[in-house]
Every structure is written in C-alpha cells, then in structure tokens.
Amino acid sequence: MPCTILTRLEPNHTINLQRLPFYRAKLSSKSREELINVVINKADKGINERISALFELRDRLEKLPDNSDNSPQKLLTNREVQALYYLITDETEFPVMVYPDEFTVEEITHEKGHEDSTYKLKIIRAIEENDAVLRAQAALLIADFGQVSKKYKELKHRLVAAITAVLGNMVAEPDHLFLPETGTAAKAESAPSIHFKNFVEALYFIDEKAGGHFIKIFNININDFSLDRRNRKAKAS
C-alpha cells in the first residue's frame, strides 16, 4: 500500500511549484502517445508529472485551429479516450481511501516529527485532492475533445455511470473534503468544492440530464462552467 501512496502523493507545494516548469519542458517534446502513457502510468510517475502531462495534451489540442471539419488532430483518438476512461475508473473506490496507519509522514515528505494525527489528516486530504484533480481533468478532456470518437460512443453510458459514482462517493466522503458544510449545526448546507464542480461540469457536458441532477441538488451555477464549453453546447443545440 505505501508504494501506491508514494506514486499518488507529493504534498510539498513549494517543491512542486518549482518542479512544474521542469515537467512542462520535459513533456513538451513528447508525442501524444507518450503523454498519455505518462498520464496513466501510476507505477512510474508522480501525480504532479501525470497532471502536467494531461495539461500539456490539453494545451496542444486547444492551440490547434477550430475544428469545423472534425480534423483528427484536434480530437482524442479511440486509444486516448479508452485510456482516460480507464484512468477515471481504475479504482474500486473514489475518493481513494487512505488510513493513518498505512504510512508515516517521514516516508512521504521526508519531514521529521510530524507523525501526529492532525498533520497526517492533511496528508490524506492531499492524496484525495491530487487524485480528484487528475481524474476530473481526464473527464473534462473527454468531454471537450473525445465526443466524436467511436470509442466515446461505445463508452458513453459507462462513462456517465462512472462519473455519477465518483460524485456519489464524494457526497459520502466522511470528512466532507469535497462538500464542506457551511452554516450552523441546526442548518448546515453543503458547499461544493472546485473538485466536485469539475466532475459535475464534465458530467453535464457529456450528459445534460445526469449533470443537471447534481446541479439542481447542490445549487451549482452553470455560469461558473467554462464559457467555451457553454458556447460549444449552444452551437450544437
């Protein structure tokens, strides 16, 4: 289990910010196939490098001219859609459930004297947030560039079910990481986090009815979603 945690967790934000330009420079020369391999290869790559590869792929697709003729260069391939779908669904639980007795802070962050339960909770939250970023961005990439592919049409119903299940697990997450509560104990309300909203946004642009269910329940404002996505949806209607 600790090896799995190590590939997911890089909570030292200062170091990570310093690494990001290095990751982007290294990834800029890779082919799309190589980028996808980085994104899905949790055995060899840290979470931040995998997220950087995902954003590098998005940047390349977004910089291409408008895709009025459905040019394949600006679309995800069948393999890419399949790989990103697998990334979203490759765990039996989401969020990834990690328990304090499964790791020490020192083996993860190299910090000494931080084995108390409060600090460990911060590490656990970092694991779940990092994982949420990776999966949500994979779902949004499919929503933006994958819907024309044959593989997307094959997987759409399963993709909708998978994202819906992710959101359901976020709702049930015991520490309210993704749906922190506001208000008083007598009248507490859930305030969807950016991670929760990103999954709802991906779901909405894949299946409006399924996404609308969460939008209504959690009072999410559609105007907070990407303007480009809203414009594309309006043109397609």
Side-chain angles (χ1 to χ4, degrees):
M1 185 64 178
C3 291
T4 302
I5 294 173
L6 283 167
T7 62
R8 291 188 180 284
L9 179 63
E10 299 173 64
N12 189 323
H13 299 299
T14 301
I15 291 177
N16 288 335
L17 287 173
Q18 294 170 350
R19 286 175 177 168
L20 288 179
F22 168 75
Y23 287 148
R24 294 304 294 269
K26 183 172 73 168
L27 294 167
S28 64
S29 62
K30 292 187 179 294
S31 67
R32 280 174 53 165
E33 181 177 1
E34 290 173 318
L35 289 176
I36 285 290
N37 288 339
V38 171
V39 169
I40 64 176
N41 197 342
K42 62 184 177 182
D44 295 333
K45 303 297 180 183
I47 191 76
N48 288 289
E49 185 169 1
R50 294 169 67 198
I51 291 171
S52 295
L54 202 58
F55 281 123
E56 172 67 22
L57 178 57
R58 171 174 287 282
D59 284 350
R60 291 188 196 181
L61 292 169
E62 288 181 341
K63 287 175 181 176
L64 292 170
D66 288 342
N67 201 20
S68 57
D69 60 349
N70 285 337
S71 171
Q73 286 80 14
K74 199 175 176 72
L75 300 173
L76 293 175
T77 65
N78 287 328
R79 176 187 179 272
E80 290 166 345
V81 170
Q82 177 70 63
L84 294 173
Y85 167 77
Y86 177 76
L87 173 62
I88 298 165
T89 61
D90 73 339
E91 299 287 347
T92 56
E93 286 185 286
F94 184 93
V96 175
M97 305 308 292
V98 181
Y99 302 97
D101 60 354
E102 294 178 331
F103 67 96
T104 66
V105 171
E106 185 173 348
E107 73 181 333
I108 300 297
T109 68
H110 306 295
E111 296 174 292
K112 299 181 183 297
H114 285 291
E115 301 301 331
D116 56 286
S117 59
T118 300
Y119 197 78
K120 273 199 168 184
L121 180 60
K122 289 174 61 177
I123 303 300
I124 291 169
R125 291 172 75 89
I127 295 171
E128 295 185 355
E129 286 187 320
N130 284 340
D131 202 67
V133 170
L134 184 68
R135 296 186 195 227
Q137 291 304 320
L140 286 167
L141 203 63
I142 292 174
D144 291 340
F145 300 103
Q147 295 195 34
V148 177
S149 71
K150 178 181 178 182
K151 182 57 67 175
Y152 171 84
K153 294 169 184 175
E154 293 175 2
L155 293 173
K156 179 177 177 179
H157 293 300
R158 280 181 280 171
L159 180 62
V160 169
I163 298 174
T164 300
V166 166
L167 288 165
N169 284 333
M170 283 180 151
V171 171
E173 203 270 339
D175 294 319
H176 305 291
L177 173 61
F178 300 110
L179 282 169
E181 293 185 343
T182 61
T184 64
K187 190 179 180 180
E189 295 182 353
S190 296
S193 68
I194 185 62
H195 307 296
F196 189 88
K197 289 180 179 178
N198 282 342
F199 276 108
V200 173
E201 183 168 358
L203 183 60
Y204 176 76
F205 288 104
I206 290 170
D207 187 302
E208 182 176 345
K209 183 177 179 180
H213 173 74
F214 289 95
I215 288 168
K216 183 177 180 180
I217 290 176
F218 296 100
N219 197 28
I220 295 172
N221 189 342
I222 293 177
N223 289 331
D224 291 338
F225 293 164
S226 160
L227 179 60
D228 286 342
R229 291 188 186 104
R230 286 184 280 132
N231 286 340
R232 284 199 300 270
K233 184 174 179 60
K235 289 178 182 178
S237 299

Short mmCIF file of all heavy atoms in Angstrom, two decimals, residues 43-70:
data_model
loop_
_atom_site.label_atom_id
_atom_site.label_comp_id
_atom_site.label_asym_id
_atom_site.label_seq_id
_atom_site.Cartn_x
_atom_site.Cartn_y
_atom_site.Cartn_z
N ALA A 43 2.48 3.66 -11.78
CA ALA A 43 3.57 2.88 -11.18
C ALA A 43 4.90 3.63 -11.25
O ALA A 43 5.73 3.48 -10.36
CB ALA A 43 3.69 1.54 -11.88
N ASP A 44 5.09 4.42 -12.29
CA ASP A 44 6.40 5.05 -12.50
C ASP A 44 6.41 6.56 -12.31
O ASP A 44 7.47 7.13 -12.10
CB ASP A 44 6.90 4.75 -13.93
CG ASP A 44 7.17 3.28 -14.14
OD1 ASP A 44 7.46 2.59 -13.16
OD2 ASP A 44 7.07 2.83 -15.29
N LYS A 45 5.25 7.21 -12.40
CA LYS A 45 5.23 8.67 -12.40
C LYS A 45 4.49 9.21 -11.18
O LYS A 45 3.49 8.67 -10.75
CB LYS A 45 4.54 9.20 -13.67
CG LYS A 45 5.18 8.71 -14.97
CD LYS A 45 6.60 9.19 -15.11
CE LYS A 45 7.22 8.70 -16.43
NZ LYS A 45 8.64 9.08 -16.57
N GLY A 46 5.00 10.33 -10.65
CA GLY A 46 4.32 11.02 -9.56
C GLY A 46 3.10 11.74 -10.07
O GLY A 46 2.97 12.04 -11.26
N ILE A 47 2.20 12.08 -9.15
CA ILE A 47 0.92 12.66 -9.52
C ILE A 47 1.08 13.98 -10.25
O ILE A 47 0.35 14.28 -11.20
CB ILE A 47 0.02 12.82 -8.27
CG1 ILE A 47 -1.42 13.17 -8.67
CG2 ILE A 47 0.57 13.83 -7.29
CD1 ILE A 47 -2.21 12.03 -9.20
N ASN A 48 2.04 14.81 -9.85
CA ASN A 48 2.18 16.12 -10.47
C ASN A 48 2.70 16.04 -11.90
O ASN A 48 2.30 16.82 -12.76
CB ASN A 48 3.08 17.01 -9.61
CG ASN A 48 2.39 17.44 -8.34
OD1 ASN A 48 1.47 18.26 -8.37
ND2 ASN A 48 2.80 16.87 -7.23
N GLU A 49 3.58 15.08 -12.16
CA GLU A 49 4.04 14.89 -13.53
C GLU A 49 2.90 14.38 -14.40
O GLU A 49 2.75 14.78 -15.56
CB GLU A 49 5.22 13.93 -13.58
CG GLU A 49 5.82 13.81 -14.98
CD GLU A 49 7.15 13.08 -15.00
OE1 GLU A 49 7.63 12.64 -13.93
OE2 GLU A 49 7.72 12.96 -16.10
N ARG A 50 2.07 13.51 -13.84
CA ARG A 50 0.93 12.98 -14.60
C ARG A 50 -0.08 14.09 -14.91
O ARG A 50 -0.59 14.18 -16.04
CB ARG A 50 0.27 11.85 -13.82
CG ARG A 50 1.16 10.64 -13.65
CD ARG A 50 0.60 9.65 -12.66
NE ARG A 50 -0.63 9.05 -13.15
CZ ARG A 50 -1.49 8.43 -12.37
NH1 ARG A 50 -1.28 8.35 -11.06
NH2 ARG A 50 -2.58 7.88 -12.89
N ILE A 51 -0.36 14.94 -13.93
CA ILE A 51 -1.27 16.07 -14.16
C ILE A 51 -0.67 17.02 -15.19
O ILE A 51 -1.37 17.53 -16.07
CB ILE A 51 -1.57 16.79 -12.84
CG1 ILE A 51 -2.41 15.89 -11.93
CG2 ILE A 51 -2.30 18.11 -13.08
CD1 ILE A 51 -2.59 16.42 -10.51
N SER A 52 0.63 17.27 -15.09
CA SER A 52 1.29 18.16 -16.07
C SER A 52 1.17 17.60 -17.48
O SER A 52 0.96 18.35 -18.44
CB SER A 52 2.77 18.34 -15.70
OG SER A 52 2.91 19.01 -14.47
N ALA A 53 1.30 16.28 -17.62
CA ALA A 53 1.15 15.66 -18.95
C ALA A 53 -0.26 15.84 -19.48
O ALA A 53 -0.47 16.07 -20.68
CB ALA A 53 1.51 14.18 -18.87
N LEU A 54 -1.23 15.76 -18.60
CA LEU A 54 -2.63 15.94 -19.00
C LEU A 54 -2.85 17.36 -19.50
O LEU A 54 -3.50 17.59 -20.54
CB LEU A 54 -3.53 15.65 -17.80
CG LEU A 54 -4.98 15.27 -18.07
CD1 LEU A 54 -5.08 14.04 -18.96
CD2 LEU A 54 -5.71 15.02 -16.76
N PHE A 55 -2.30 18.35 -18.79
CA PHE A 55 -2.46 19.74 -19.22
C PHE A 55 -1.65 20.04 -20.48
O PHE A 55 -2.06 20.87 -21.30
CB PHE A 55 -2.06 20.69 -18.09
CG PHE A 55 -3.11 20.84 -17.03
CD1 PHE A 55 -2.83 20.57 -15.70
CD2 PHE A 55 -4.40 21.25 -17.35
CE1 PHE A 55 -3.80 20.69 -14.73
CE2 PHE A 55 -5.38 21.39 -16.38
CZ PHE A 55 -5.08 21.11 -15.07
N GLU A 56 -0.51 19.37 -20.65
CA GLU A 56 0.26 19.54 -21.89
C GLU A 56 -0.55 19.06 -23.09
O GLU A 56 -0.60 19.72 -24.14
CB GLU A 56 1.57 18.77 -21.79
CG GLU A 56 2.39 18.70 -23.08
CD GLU A 56 2.94 20.04 -23.53
OE1 GLU A 56 3.07 20.96 -22.69
OE2 GLU A 56 3.23 20.19 -24.74
N LEU A 57 -1.22 17.93 -22.94
CA LEU A 57 -2.06 17.41 -24.01
C LEU A 57 -3.21 18.38 -24.29
O LEU A 57 -3.52 18.66 -25.45
CB LEU A 57 -2.60 16.03 -23.64
CG LEU A 57 -3.56 15.38 -24.64
CD1 LEU A 57 -2.92 15.25 -26.03
CD2 LEU A 57 -3.99 14.01 -24.13
N ARG A 58 -3.84 18.89 -23.25
CA ARG A 58 -4.93 19.85 -23.45
C ARG A 58 -4.43 21.09 -24.19
O ARG A 58 -5.09 21.57 -25.12
CB ARG A 58 -5.53 20.25 -22.10
CG ARG A 58 -6.52 21.42 -22.20
CD ARG A 58 -7.22 21.73 -20.92
NE ARG A 58 -8.23 20.71 -20.63
CZ ARG A 58 -9.42 20.65 -21.21
NH1 ARG A 58 -9.77 21.55 -22.13
NH2 ARG A 58 -10.27 19.71 -20.89
N ASP A 59 -3.29 21.61 -23.78
CA ASP A 59 -2.75 22.81 -24.44
C ASP A 59 -2.54 22.59 -25.93
O ASP A 59 -2.85 23.45 -26.75
CB ASP A 59 -1.42 23.21 -23.79
CG ASP A 59 -1.60 23.89 -22.44
OD1 ASP A 59 -2.76 24.22 -22.09
OD2 ASP A 59 -0.59 24.09 -21.75
N ARG A 60 -2.02 21.43 -26.29
CA ARG A 60 -1.78 21.15 -27.71
C ARG A 60 -3.09 21.12 -28.50
O ARG A 60 -3.18 21.65 -29.61
CB ARG A 60 -1.05 19.82 -27.87
CG ARG A 60 0.37 19.84 -27.37
CD ARG A 60 1.09 18.56 -27.74
NE ARG A 60 2.31 18.41 -26.96
CZ ARG A 60 3.14 17.39 -27.10
NH1 ARG A 60 2.88 16.44 -27.99
NH2 ARG A 60 4.23 17.31 -26.36
N LEU A 61 -4.09 20.48 -27.92
CA LEU A 61 -5.38 20.40 -28.61
C LEU A 61 -6.04 21.77 -28.72
O LEU A 61 -6.61 22.10 -29.76
CB LEU A 61 -6.29 19.43 -27.86
CG LEU A 61 -5.86 17.96 -27.89
CD1 LEU A 61 -6.68 17.13 -26.91
CD2 LEU A 61 -5.99 17.38 -29.30
N GLU A 62 -5.96 22.56 -27.67
CA GLU A 62 -6.60 23.87 -27.68
C GLU A 62 -5.92 24.85 -28.64
O GLU A 62 -6.56 25.76 -29.17
CB GLU A 62 -6.62 24.46 -26.27
CG GLU A 62 -7.61 23.75 -25.34
CD GLU A 62 -7.64 24.34 -23.95
OE1 GLU A 62 -6.65 25.04 -23.59
OE2 GLU A 62 -8.62 24.11 -23.23
N LYS A 63 -4.63 24.68 -28.87
CA LYS A 63 -3.90 25.61 -29.73
C LYS A 63 -4.12 25.33 -31.22
O LYS A 63 -3.78 26.16 -32.06
CB LYS A 63 -2.41 25.57 -29.41
CG LYS A 63 -2.07 26.25 -28.08
CD LYS A 63 -0.60 26.08 -27.73
CE LYS A 63 -0.30 26.74 -26.39
NZ LYS A 63 1.12 26.52 -25.98
N LEU A 64 -4.67 24.17 -31.54
CA LEU A 64 -4.96 23.87 -32.94
C LEU A 64 -6.15 24.71 -33.41
O LEU A 64 -6.98 25.13 -32.60
CB LEU A 64 -5.27 22.38 -33.10
CG LEU A 64 -4.10 21.43 -32.88
CD1 LEU A 64 -4.58 19.99 -32.82
CD2 LEU A 64 -3.06 21.60 -33.98
N PRO A 65 -6.26 24.99 -34.71
CA PRO A 65 -7.38 25.80 -35.22
C PRO A 65 -8.72 25.17 -34.90
O PRO A 65 -8.82 23.96 -34.62
CB PRO A 65 -7.12 25.81 -36.74
CG PRO A 65 -5.69 25.47 -36.90
CD PRO A 65 -5.33 24.57 -35.75
N ASP A 66 -9.77 25.98 -34.91
CA ASP A 66 -11.12 25.47 -34.67
C ASP A 66 -11.40 24.27 -35.57
O ASP A 66 -11.03 24.25 -36.75
CB ASP A 66 -12.17 26.56 -34.94
CG ASP A 66 -12.15 27.61 -33.85
OD1 ASP A 66 -11.61 27.34 -32.78
OD2 ASP A 66 -12.67 28.71 -34.09
N ASN A 67 -12.07 23.33 -34.98
CA ASN A 67 -12.23 22.04 -35.64
C ASN A 67 -13.56 21.93 -36.38
O ASN A 67 -14.35 21.03 -36.12
CB ASN A 67 -12.11 20.92 -34.59
CG ASN A 67 -11.75 19.59 -35.21
OD1 ASN A 67 -11.24 19.55 -36.32
ND2 ASN A 67 -12.02 18.51 -34.52
N SER A 68 -13.79 22.82 -37.31
CA SER A 68 -15.07 22.82 -38.02
C SER A 68 -15.23 21.59 -38.92
O SER A 68 -16.34 21.17 -39.21
CB SER A 68 -15.18 24.09 -38.87
OG SER A 68 -14.09 24.18 -39.77
N ASP A 69 -14.11 20.99 -39.32
CA ASP A 69 -14.19 19.82 -40.19
C ASP A 69 -13.88 18.52 -39.46
O ASP A 69 -13.60 17.49 -40.08
CB ASP A 69 -13.24 19.98 -41.38
CG ASP A 69 -11.78 20.12 -40.93
OD1 ASP A 69 -11.56 20.31 -39.71
OD2 ASP A 69 -10.89 20.05 -41.78
N ASN A 70 -13.92 18.58 -38.11
CA ASN A 70 -13.62 17.40 -37.30
C ASN A 70 -12.26 16.79 -37.64
O ASN A 70 -12.11 15.58 -37.75
CB ASN A 70 -14.71 16.34 -37.46
CG ASN A 70 -15.97 16.70 -36.70
OD1 ASN A 70 -15.93 17.47 -35.75
ND2 ASN A 70 -17.09 16.16 -37.13
#
